[in-house]
Amino acid sequence: MTDAYAIGLDKNGANYAQLTPLDFYERAAEVYPERLAVVHGARRFTWKQLRDRGHRLASALAKRGIGRDDTVAALLLNTPEMVECFFGVPLAGAVLNTLNTRLDTDTIAYILEHGEAKALLVDRELSGQAREAVAKLARKPLVIDVDDPEYDGPGERIGEMDYEAFLATGNPDQAFPGPRDEWDAIALNYTSGTTGRPKGVVYHHRGAYLNALSNALDWDMPRHPVYLWTLPMFHASGWCFPWTIAARVGVNVCLRKVDVKKIFELIKSEHVTHYCGAPVVQSMIINAPAALKAGIEHTVNGSVAGAPPPMAVIEGLEAMGFTITHVYGLTETYGPAGLCVKHADWAGKSAGERGRLNARQGVRYLAQAAMTVLDPESMKPVPADGETMGEVMFRGNITMKGYLKNGKATEEAFAGGWFHSGDLGVLESDGYVKIKDRSKDIIISGGENVSSVEVEDVLYRHPAVLAAAVVAKPDDKWGEVPAAFIELREGAAQPSVDELRAHCRKQLPGFAVPKVFSFGPLPRTSTGKIQKFVLRKQLDSASAINT
């Protein structure tokens, strides 16, 4: 019987095509040519216009000899030009490398050199960073200036030509063959590099296609959503949402920078239905003045990521009437690759219990083959008891190809046939994953494991605390003790150390209560993650710690 099914039943042009998210924007333009695709201030493009601009970009790149497997870097903010890059660059056969806009010039130069960028698109606001970075390169890329009409601040044109002039050299009707194989690279994203040089994470067309669909299906995203770009598009390829919005023929509402007043204005004026963001963005929304929140009469769906977001964040958004979905993933998993699937009976539980359930990392995405917690030594699953810690691991189609030019790191990341996330977690009785800490952030005090995440959750519940981060402080007696860094809410009176300790003692064992406290703004990455390595350095300065 096996031979009967195999003989003469081969792949051919009629029954097989390589999976690529470029199909989504082609279809959107074919089926809904006049539907709105992009909004940015006075600029509004339909899907037909977006398709033509993407094709012009691909054609213009091809005329400059940029194509198959070449890297095109983009130092851009959330503007229409960035949306176009997600289609025009891979359409030409090239690989899109979106650059973190807050990186120092040395790191930008390293990424451009390591990724061998042939072209660099630069927002005028970021021209100073780009000029300094390019000056450090032995081989200069083609530089194209992007001048956003919504920006009127300082900056200069440093490139060979303006983006619109560059598009004008392209042909919207030029045909492109698409990827040779769905395993071809589509995007290159660099890790934060907090402990060394950033690593280049390579995505393929197949993974981008599948994760884009998983975003829509796992979030129950309907046709024609209105999506607000609070998430930086440079972060893990915008979690694949540029391709998701094309698949659902939605509207990309662009936002150059996270500004809470602008966020609420756009939610109301554009009738925004969906947005994504790190806990810091969600906290800004929760703590916005009541006047900004007034007047929202439709359902707003928010997706929050983090490892994990504090329960107080999820509870606060629910209290506003927003519908919140907690997702989990890493750059290496195309952004979200797991989510906390809600069950109907959770609605009848208390707000605190719903917050606890919703703050878990949950289960695998639809297109991901597996997500679980394994003992990293034996590679066997940990018991589903909610207590035994192991490492969260993934395997499947929405896991990176590997790290560019770094075979050793790739081999280590995929040891045992699983992707090692570096997050420590437990399996609960219902099979949901709950992260306890990053492997490097766990605190061992007197032989007891202290989860910095759990201590932070407790601190977030104090009414004066806007944000909290807990790290290990070396201690002669206990080996390590928890040290807490606190960012207060605007206008809040600073609580005493004794008050915070008493607050923690009500909900934590004695060994987990922070022994030292520091107050002030917390250092963050451009994607809102608190930089704990900076806080550890601050522990060396006695003046930085208020005990």
Side-chain angles (χ1 to χ4, degrees):
M1 183 61 71
T2 300
D3 288 342
Y5 281 118
I7 296 174
L9 304 181
D10 299 324
K11 294 177 184 176
N12 60 68
N15 66 17
Y16 181 81
Q18 307 292 341
L19 298 182
T20 172
L22 300 178
D23 286 345
F24 300 148
Y25 112 122
E26 290 277 17
R27 179 181 181 275
E30 290 169 6
V31 182
Y32 300 97
E34 301 307 317
R35 283 204 70 93
L36 193 60
V38 179
V39 171
H40 188 50
R43 289 195 287 169
R44 291 174 178 259
F45 298 137
T46 66
W47 276 102
K48 176 62 165 60
Q49 289 171 324
L50 177 60
R51 182 264 178 208
D52 287 353
R53 287 173 66 84
H55 272 61
R56 283 187 183 277
L57 176 57
S59 176
L61 290 170
K63 287 183 177 181
R64 300 303 292 264
I66 296 170
R68 189 73 67 188
D69 295 332
D70 289 331
T71 302
V72 175
L75 189 64
L76 301 175
L77 299 166
N78 287 354
T79 62
E81 293 80 8
M82 183 69 117
V83 177
E84 291 158 14
C85 283
F86 279 90
F87 302 100
V89 172
L91 186 65
V95 180
L96 177 61
N97 173 208
T98 53
L99 298 168
N100 186 323
T101 59
R102 292 181 62 183
L103 292 175
D104 61 89
T105 56
D106 283 343
T107 304
I108 292 174
Y110 168 78
I111 290 173
L112 293 173
E113 182 177 47
H114 185 261
E116 301 181 33
K118 294 286 184 68
L120 171 64
L121 280 64
V122 181
D123 189 287
R124 184 166 59 83
E125 183 179 358
L126 308 173
S127 59
Q129 292 167 261
R131 184 182 60 252
E132 291 182 27
V134 170
K136 300 174 188 288
L137 302 176
R139 183 181 56 79
K140 313 295 185 188
L142 166 67
V143 178
I144 302 297
D145 296 307
V146 174
D147 200 350
D148 179 7
E150 295 301 306
Y151 176 70
D152 59 2
E156 59 183 321
R157 294 180 177 176
I158 63 171
E160 181 177 317
M161 69 172 68
D162 173 79
Y163 181 81
E164 293 298 328
F166 186 64
L167 284 194
T169 69
N171 177 4
D173 298 319
Q174 183 172 340
F176 291 91
R180 294 161 302 189
D181 189 290
E182 59 193 23
W183 185 252
D184 285 356
I186 189 172
L188 173 64
N189 293 282
Y190 281 80
T191 60
S192 59
T194 57
T195 57
R197 284 296 194 186
K199 297 189 289 290
V201 177
V202 182
Y203 293 176
H204 49 68
H205 283 254
R206 177 182 176 84
Y209 179 100
L210 292 171
N211 208 37
L213 290 182
S214 285
N215 282 336
L217 293 170
D218 280 321
W219 205 3
D220 291 329
M221 183 177 274
R223 187 179 286 115
H224 311 316
V226 181
Y227 182 86
L228 177 61
W229 276 105
T230 46
L231 175 78
M233 282 189 231
F234 66 68
H235 183 47
S237 290
W239 297 359
C240 294
F241 273 96
W243 301 309
T244 297
I245 303 308
R248 301 311 291 144
V249 199
V251 182
N252 293 276
V253 181
C254 295
L255 185 68
R256 281 183 66 89
K257 292 184 178 178
V258 173
D259 176 278
V260 72
K261 182 173 182 290
K262 188 69 173 175
I263 286 171
F264 280 102
E265 287 176 356
L266 289 170
I267 286 175
K268 297 171 200 176
S269 66
E270 302 299 334
H271 207 77
V272 167
T273 61
H274 293 76
Y275 75 96
C276 298
V280 64
V281 174
Q282 313 289 359
S283 293
M284 290 173 62
I285 292 172
I286 293 168
N287 293 298
L292 292 182
K293 300 177 184 178
I296 299 175
E297 299 177 352
H298 64 280
T299 300
V300 179
N301 299 277
S303 178
V304 57
M311 285 189 284
V313 168
I314 293 176
E315 291 171 5
L317 290 164
E318 281 194 348
M320 287 175 54
F322 284 30
T323 300
I324 299 303
T325 299
H326 176 206
V327 297
Y328 164 63
L330 304 93
T331 302
E332 289 89 342
T333 61
Y334 293 74
L339 80 160
C340 191
V341 174
K342 299 177 184 178
H343 292 274
D345 62 341
W346 292 7
K349 299 184 183 297
S350 68
E353 179 61 7
R354 284 201 312 275
R356 186 193 71 80
L357 292 169
N358 286 329
R360 299 180 297 172
Q361 282 55 55
V363 297
R364 65 185 172 100
Y365 244 32
L366 180 67
Q368 187 66 297
M371 165 185 162
T372 191
V373 181
L374 305 179
D375 181 311
E377 299 299 325
S378 67
M379 295 300 291
K380 294 181 179 179
V382 301
D385 57 11
E387 295 181 2
T388 306
M389 279 205 291
E391 186 175 2
V392 181
M393 300 192 194
F394 293 91
R395 70 189 329 172
N397 290 302
I398 51 176
T399 305
M400 65 172 180
K401 290 185 72 168
Y403 295 116
L404 183 68
K405 303 176 186 176
N406 196 335
K408 182 176 183 294
T410 300
E411 184 179 350
E412 291 173 353
F414 292 150
W418 290 81
F419 169 67
H420 295 242
S421 73
D423 287 326
L424 298 179
V426 297
L427 272 180
E428 298 198 342
S429 58
D430 57 1
Y432 278 47
V433 171
K434 168 68 175 175
I435 285 179
K436 291 294 186 178
D437 227 326
R438 290 290 294 172
S439 58
K440 62 186 177 184
D441 292 335
I442 200 75
I443 302 165
I444 304 175
S445 185
E448 300 283 355
N449 286 345
V450 178
S451 165
S452 66
V453 169
E454 291 184 351
V455 181
E456 290 159 3
D457 261 342
V458 170
L459 288 168
Y460 268 99
R461 291 180 174 275
H462 190 283
V465 174
L466 175 65
V470 175
V471 300
K473 180 180 184 298
D475 184 84
D476 291 339
K477 181 178 181 180
W478 302 108
E480 294 177 333
V481 295
F485 291 79
I486 307 294
E487 186 172 322
L488 298 173
R489 295 183 186 275
E490 185 175 352
Q494 180 170 315
S496 68
V497 169
D498 287 343
E499 179 184 341
L500 286 174
R501 283 194 179 131
H503 171 78
C504 291
R505 285 194 186 99
K506 292 177 182 178
Q507 303 169 68
L508 295 169
F511 60 80
V513 174
K515 301 302 184 287
V516 294
F517 291 82
S518 176
F519 298 91
L522 299 179
R524 290 183 171 90
T525 68
S526 56
T527 57
K529 294 179 181 178
I530 296 171
Q531 296 173 306
K532 288 192 173 183
F533 75 99
V534 175
L535 299 178
R536 292 187 186 95
K537 291 179 181 178
Q538 291 182 14
L539 286 173
D540 295 333
S541 171
S543 62
I545 303 300
N546 179 358
T547 59

